[in-house]
Amino acid sequence: MIVVVGLLGGAAILIAGQSRVSQDAIQSSVIRTPELIDSAWKLPVAATFNADVTWQSNGSRCGPASVANTFRSIGEEETTEAEVLAGTGKCWTGFCIIGLTLDELAEVARTNTKRKVSVLRDLSADAFREHMNRANDPGRRYIVNFTREKIFGAGVGHFSPVGGYLEAEDMVFVLDVNEDYKPWLIERERLFSAMDTIDSDGDKKRGLLLIE
């Protein structure tokens, strides 16, 4: 028991240390112009979240939190981290040690929904644009897996739902499940660059999870 607690404590410290980004970097790296954020919340998919995001319970559980928020937006019954993790055998310690890969999160999502769940990786920039053009379709939900380092200059891999796409501005609305970041807008090309990276845990590229 002492060994397990020690390992969990060490994992928590490691996660916190790797993912720390200054508030200045958070504020200066993405777009939060009030008028644009207001417009983004009115997009068809974003509106289903009711301008409300349930924050992840700890630094390792961004994936389950993203699925829980997404399920809530489409009317599924499982709308908490614990409920979406039930029956998966994952993160049973309370921490998703070293996080979940895109494929592992797809398994989590499939366990508690009858909807189609697809892993989209190795996308070209054009294919990513096509998917973002469809991100406002109320019948579709995207969760993006990206590295914070490419956007904020520090941090590790992360999951968050996509709230929609402001086509005229070419910006993606990311419903960040980390309370320190909160939802933000970013140029599509920059988000693609952060997504089009290798997840060292799985040695595969990050990508999108599509639930429809």
Side-chain angles (χ1 to χ4, degrees), residues 128-144:
F128 182 69
R129 182 192 299 112
E130 290 176 9
H131 281 290
M132 292 303 95
N133 278 328
R134 302 189 68 185
N136 296 326
D137 180 345
R140 301 165 74 91
R141 296 292 186 279
Y142 290 95
I143 294 173
V144 61

Side-chain angles (χ1 to χ4, degrees), residues 182-203:
K182 297 182 175 63
W184 37 268
L185 285 159
I186 188 170
E187 298 88 346
R188 174 185 46 79
E189 290 184 355
R190 289 184 62 210
L191 183 58
F192 173 74
S193 177
M195 184 196 74
D196 191 37
T197 51
I198 299 294
D199 182 345
S200 58
D201 182 33
D203 294 323

Side-chain angles (χ1 to χ4, degrees), residues 82-92 104 107-112:
E83 288 169 342
V84 301
L85 287 167
T88 69
K90 300 187 185 301
C91 313
W92 60 271
E104 288 172 333
E107 292 175 22
V108 168
R110 291 179 184 127
T111 299
N112 288 298

Side-chain angles (χ1 to χ4, degrees), residues 1-211:
M1 180 64 72
I2 293 174
V3 172
V4 172
V5 171
L7 288 173
L8 291 178
I13 293 170
L14 178 62
I15 290 166
Q18 287 181 327
S19 59
R20 186 173 294 114
V21 177
S22 72
Q23 280 299 314
D24 286 344
I26 291 173
Q27 296 304 318
S28 64
S29 299
V30 292
I31 299 159
R32 286 198 175 87
T33 306
E35 294 79 8
L36 288 174
I37 291 290
D38 184 59
S39 295
W41 275 120
K42 293 175 182 176
L43 292 168
V45 168
T48 66
F49 288 81
N50 296 316
D52 179 45
V53 176
T54 301
W55 313 121
Q56 64 192 81
S57 60
N58 65 57
S60 72
R61 294 181 71 157
C62 55
S66 294
V67 173
N69 277 282
T70 299
F71 277 4
R72 174 170 58 83
S73 79
I74 53 179
E76 293 281 6
E77 294 182 358
E78 293 75 14
T79 60
T80 68
E81 291 177 12
E83 288 169 342
V84 301
L85 287 167
T88 69
K90 300 187 185 301
C91 313
W92 60 271
T93 62
F95 291 90
C96 303
I97 306 301
I98 71 175
L100 297 176
T101 65
L102 186 62
D103 294 299
E104 288 172 333
L105 190 63
E107 292 175 22
V108 168
R110 291 179 184 127
T111 299
N112 288 298
T113 185
K114 294 182 179 180
R115 297 174 187 270
K116 182 180 178 182
V117 178
S118 304
V119 171
L120 307 174
R121 66 157 51 89
D122 297 316
L123 297 173
S124 66
D126 287 342
F128 182 69
R129 182 192 299 112
E130 290 176 9
H131 281 290
M132 292 303 95
N133 278 328
R134 302 189 68 185
N136 296 326
D137 180 345
R140 301 165 74 91
R141 296 292 186 279
Y142 290 95
I143 294 173
V144 61
N145 181 207
F146 62 96
T147 175
R148 289 204 189 278
E149 185 177 12
K150 285 273 190 175
I151 297 172
F152 300 97
V156 293
H158 188 60
F159 289 98
S160 281
V162 172
Y165 178 56
L166 292 176
E167 185 174 1
E169 293 81 7
D170 197 18
M171 292 180 185
V172 182
F173 190 32
V174 177
L175 304 182
D176 204 313
V177 294
N178 187 311
E179 188 175 9
D180 290 339
Y181 292 79
K182 297 182 175 63
W184 37 268
L185 285 159
I186 188 170
E187 298 88 346
R188 174 185 46 79
E189 290 184 355
R190 289 184 62 210
L191 183 58
F192 173 74
S193 177
M195 184 196 74
D196 191 37
T197 51
I198 299 294
D199 182 345
S200 58
D201 182 33
D203 294 323
K204 295 180 180 179
K205 277 194 175 181
R206 298 180 172 89
L208 296 167
L209 203 63
L210 170 61
I211 301 174

